[in-house]
């Protein structure tokens, strides 16, 4: 996982990239290839997108998703 000021931006879980995208861009980003809503223990997590590893085969795509997570995490108050 990658954290910014104590807030998670993105991470890897079982071959998927999970990205904290926030509520404003959530629906828009679900339309990206290989993106679905992230579910944790059967609970859908609004504001989080899961990207299948098949959608991460180019550095530019991975950079796109990581930047979204970092940009959103930067808007959150720092955690101690």
């Amino acid at each position: 996982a990658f954290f910014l000021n104590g807030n998670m931006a993105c991470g890897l879980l079982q071959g998927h990239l999970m990205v904290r995208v926030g509520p404003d861009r959530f629906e828009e980003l679900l339309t990206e290839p290989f993106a679905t809503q992230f579910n944790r223990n059967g609970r859908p997590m609004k504001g989080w997108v899961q990207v299948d590893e098949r959608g991460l085969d180019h550095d530019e795509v991975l950079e796109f998703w990581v930047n979204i997570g970092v940009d959103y995490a930067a808007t959150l108050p720092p955690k101690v």
Side-chain angles (χ1 to χ4, degrees):
F2 178 74
F3 290 82
L4 182 65
N5 298 320
N7 294 293
M8 188 170 170
C10 57
L12 294 173
L13 181 65
Q14 299 175 345
H16 301 283
L17 178 68
M18 50 186 178
V19 183
R20 191 171 192 178
V21 301
D24 294 341
R25 296 193 65 197
F26 176 71
E27 295 293 333
E28 165 202 348
L29 291 169
L30 285 178
T31 65
E32 291 290 326
F34 302 102
T36 58
Q37 184 171 18
F38 176 61
N39 290 291
R40 182 72 178 152
N41 297 325
R43 290 184 41 216
M45 307 273 299
K46 189 153 181 130
W48 287 83
V49 171
Q50 172 178 294
V51 184
D52 186 275
E53 64 185 329
R54 295 172 295 158
L56 301 171
D57 57 353
H58 297 290
D59 290 344
E60 297 81 15
V61 177
L62 178 59
E63 183 177 0
F64 167 81
W65 285 110
V66 170
N67 284 336
I68 288 172
V70 169
D71 289 348
Y72 182 71
T75 68
L76 301 171
K79 290 185 177 178
V80 179

